[in-house]
Every structure is written in C-alpha cells, then in structure tokens.
Amino acid sequence: MTAKGPIDSRYVIVGVAKQARQVDLLALTYSSRAIIGSGGYRPKDVQIVLDIMQHNNDLIEKMVTHEFAWEDLEKGIQTAADPQHALNVQIVYQD
C-alpha cells in the first residue's frame, strides 16, 4: 500500500484481506497519515446491517461461502482461519 491522499488523512481498514499488505511506512510518516483498523461495532452500525439483511436477504446469502452447525464450531473456526479457501463463514445456532 502506498501512501496516497491528502496530508493528515486516515485510512480505515474495515475488512480482512486474503493476503498481507505492504505499507510504505516512510511515506506514511512524512505525510502525517495514519492507518487504523475498524473491529468494533456501534449500535447504529448493527441496526444498519440488520436493515440491509432484512431487505436484501438474497445478497447476504451470496456472501456466505461456508455454513456450519453449532456442533461443528471448531471446524467452522478452522475454515474461517484459512482466507485462501473461505471468505465468510457462518455458524448456525438453533435452540
């Protein structure tokens, strides 16, 4: 990743890539830019996603690449840990 954009800008990483990214730290430093991750969710974010899921369920189904029952949680986690073969793993939990 090269540091492009205005001085004092921030890049927000909102997803996990399948491979590591290279970062030009010198350019990043000299241009006073920052890279931050976005791993937390706020209540408003969750509500937006729920609204999207409610109205576009067919799109959500296309995003899930693997689905595992709760009983196969360990296998699901192992699959999710291999981004070369799994993009979005879903664990189905039923009472």
Side-chain angles (χ1 to χ4, degrees):
M1 174 186 297
T2 60
K4 295 181 180 178
I7 292 177
D8 292 329
S9 60
R10 293 187 302 169
Y11 299 92
V12 180
I13 309 301
V14 294
V16 178
K18 289 187 175 185
Q19 58 188 351
R21 302 277 191 228
Q22 291 187 357
V23 177
D24 184 344
L25 294 177
L26 187 60
L28 197 70
T29 301
Y30 282 137
S31 60
S32 298
R33 294 182 182 116
I35 298 175
I36 59 174
S38 178
Y41 305 101
R42 293 173 178 79
K44 182 178 178 181
D45 300 329
V46 173
Q47 186 58 53
I48 290 170
V49 170
L50 291 175
D51 291 343
I52 290 170
M53 290 174 66
Q54 183 177 16
H55 296 99
N56 299 296
N57 193 39
D58 57 327
L59 296 176
I60 301 302
E61 289 177 2
K62 292 176 185 176
M63 292 172 44
V64 176
T65 58
H66 294 78
E67 188 174 289
F68 293 92
W70 173 252
E71 295 78 20
D72 296 322
L73 177 64
E74 184 175 347
K75 185 175 179 183
I77 291 172
Q78 290 172 348
T79 301
D82 183 3
Q84 297 298 320
H85 296 97
L87 177 63
N88 193 336
V89 176
Q90 183 178 53
I91 305 299
V92 178
Y93 177 79
Q94 298 176 359
D95 281 330

